[in-house]
Amino acid sequence: MDKKIEWLETYLSLYIGHDKVLEKMNDVDSPYVVLDVRNAPAAVKKDQIKGAIAMPAKDLPNRLNELSKDKIYVVYDWTSGTTLGKTALLTLLSAGFEAYELASALEGWKGMNLPIESII
Amino acid sequence: MDKKIEWLETYLSLYIGHDKVLEKMNDVDSPYVVLDVRNAPAAVKKDQIKGAIAMPAKDLPNRLNELSKDKIYVVYDWTSGTTLGKTALLTLLSAGFEAYELASALEGWKGMNLPIESII
Amino acid sequence: MDKKIEWLETYLSLYIGHDKVLEKMNDVDSPYVVLDVRNAPAAVKKDQIKGAIAMPAKDLPNRLNELSKDKIYVVYDWTSGTTLGKTALLTLLSAGFEAYELASALEGWKGMNLPIESII
């Protein structure tokens, strides 16, 4: 039982809900920076979460110098069924950044009709 | 290798298959109680697993007194890609209840054309 | 933080990307053997990853003698939202085989238009 609880606590500690991100979305001093870690080109991605920064997971290890220890990073991929968000999250946490994966990913964000923006 | 095996064993111990729930579905003394932990209102949910009890994950911590230590709780959300089922599961396990997440969630249940019921 | 990193490292170590499998797909001496562990009959499955061997998760424990310690097994189910791939993976790892779950499962493979073949 303790193993299950510990597993669930760790699992849930990796995620952040859309509500927290959404609440601060229009604050100029929001602590959150949303990173779109999809590896696809813009023409395939077509749109992204409003205000997100395109930071493909494959490039992330070489672009950590663009990030700040004062921010909280929120990564997302197309869906939560992929491993890309967790790959990016591991890169960020290992480098000492505060970071979370967006629960339900882009698919869930769009499914709730939350703010997106075109990127082409 | 041992870490992988332990991780997988813990992961799989959190889930229950639809077959076990289905088998007891029409038994008056079924040990299973299915909890629909979706936070959405009934008008959005529209239908649910047959015989499920609506127990939104956000309300669950305040409604534990409605549950019994003699039952086995099976929680589900829309899909298995969300964190809500595991949030509910953690609440239940931490409070000492026997509980599992339904493998493949509502999406999988419907995909296999298993019994559902309208709730509006 | 260390718990998160360890969790993520273990999680990611369970998976293999489609790129690695694809790269060796046409090599006669590819180390990879792709196992389709879906329990559905061929008429329901309709197609599979090109060159995959049908090895339903439910039959796997009794068919381990068909496998080789010299190969690397890659298992997949319909989607990554199910527990079947991880059930098969646990069977294989516990029996001492090198094995991984295909990241994003059949759904992701098809979504990227990678090679499949009809099985009916």
Side-chain angles (χ1 to χ4, degrees):
Chain A
M1 184 60 80
D2 285 349
K3 265 192 194 174
K4 290 188 188 193
I5 289 174
E6 193 186 334
W7 192 102
L8 286 166
E9 283 175 344
T10 305
Y11 170 86
L12 290 168
S13 76
L14 302 173
Y15 288 96
I16 192 167
H18 65 276
D19 50 325
K20 291 214 180 100
V21 176
L22 198 63
E23 188 185 289
K24 300 283 187 180
M25 186 158 252
N26 297 313
D27 286 18
V28 283
D29 60 349
S30 167
Y32 301 115
V33 176
V34 179
L35 300 180
D36 184 317
V37 300
R38 291 177 290 171
N39 285 324
V44 171
K45 291 191 288 190
K46 291 193 178 76
D47 49 28
Q48 66 178 18
I49 288 180
K50 197 187 155 205
I53 295 172
M55 183 78 73
K58 63 181 166 58
D59 302 335
L60 186 55
N62 297 319
R63 292 181 60 184
L64 293 173
N65 62 323
E66 299 176 32
L67 308 182
S68 161
K69 293 274 158 83
D70 298 328
K71 292 294 185 180
I72 300 171
Y73 293 95
V74 178
V75 302
Y76 72 85
D77 189 16
W78 295 98
T79 74
S80 51
T82 71
T83 57
L84 208 61
K86 289 190 180 59
T87 299
L89 193 53
L90 178 57
T91 301
L92 292 168
L93 294 178
S94 299
F97 292 97
E98 183 172 354
Y100 302 92
E101 185 171 357
L102 180 67
S104 302
L106 181 60
E107 184 177 48
W109 186 273
K110 285 186 175 182
M112 290 177 280
N113 295 309
L114 301 181
I116 60 168
E117 62 189 9
S118 174
I119 52 173
I120 47 173
Chain B
M1 185 60 79
D2 286 349
K3 266 192 191 173
K4 290 189 188 193
I5 288 173
E6 194 185 335
W7 193 102
L8 286 166
E9 284 174 344
T10 305
Y11 171 86
L12 291 168
S13 75
L14 302 173
Y15 288 96
I16 191 167
H18 66 276
D19 50 326
K20 291 213 180 102
V21 176
L22 198 64
E23 186 185 289
K24 299 283 187 180
M25 187 158 252
N26 296 314
D27 286 17
V28 283
D29 60 349
S30 167
Y32 301 116
V33 176
V34 179
L35 299 181
D36 184 318
V37 301
R38 290 178 290 171
N39 286 323
V44 172
K45 293 190 287 189
K46 291 193 177 75
D47 48 30
Q48 66 178 16
I49 288 180
K50 196 186 156 206
I53 295 172
M55 183 78 72
K58 65 180 165 58
D59 301 336
L60 186 56
N62 297 317
R63 292 181 60 183
L64 293 173
N65 63 322
E66 299 176 32
L67 307 181
S68 161
K69 294 273 159 82
D70 299 328
K71 293 293 185 180
I72 298 171
Y73 293 95
V74 178
V75 303
Y76 71 86
D77 189 15
W78 295 98
T79 75
S80 50
T82 71
T83 58
L84 209 61
K86 289 190 180 60
T87 301
L89 193 53
L90 179 57
T91 302
L92 291 168
L93 295 177
S94 299
F97 292 97
E98 183 172 353
Y100 302 93
E101 185 171 356
L102 180 66
S104 301
L106 180 60
E107 185 178 46
W109 185 272
K110 284 186 176 182
M112 290 177 280
N113 295 310
L114 302 180
I116 59 167
E117 62 190 8
S118 175
I119 53 172
I120 47 174
Chain C
M1 184 60 79
D2 285 349
K3 265 192 193 173
K4 291 189 189 193
I5 288 174
E6 193 186 335
W7 192 103
L8 286 166
E9 284 175 343
T10 305
Y11 170 85
L12 291 168
S13 75
L14 302 173
Y15 289 96
I16 192 167
H18 65 276
D19 51 326
K20 292 214 181 101
V21 177
L22 199 62
E23 189 185 287
K24 300 282 187 180
M25 187 158 251
N26 297 313
D27 286 17
V28 282
D29 60 349
S30 168
Y32 301 116
V33 175
V34 179
L35 300 180
D36 184 318
V37 301
R38 290 178 290 171
N39 285 323
V44 172
K45 293 191 287 191
K46 290 192 178 76
D47 49 29
Q48 66 177 16
I49 288 179
K50 196 186 155 206
I53 294 172
M55 182 78 73
K58 64 180 166 58
D59 302 335
L60 185 56
N62 298 318
R63 292 181 59 185
L64 293 173
N65 62 322
E66 300 176 31
L67 308 182
S68 160
K69 293 274 159 80
D70 298 328
K71 292 293 185 179
I72 300 171
Y73 292 95
V74 178
V75 302
Y76 71 87
D77 190 15
W78 294 98
T79 74
S80 52
T82 71
T83 56
L84 208 61
K86 289 192 180 59
T87 300
L89 193 53
L90 179 56
T91 301
L92 292 169
L93 294 178
S94 299
F97 293 96
E98 182 172 355
Y100 301 92
E101 185 172 356
L102 180 67
S104 301
L106 181 59
E107 184 178 48
W109 186 272
K110 284 186 175 181
M112 290 176 280
N113 296 309
L114 302 180
I116 59 167
E117 62 189 10
S118 174
I119 53 172
I120 47 173

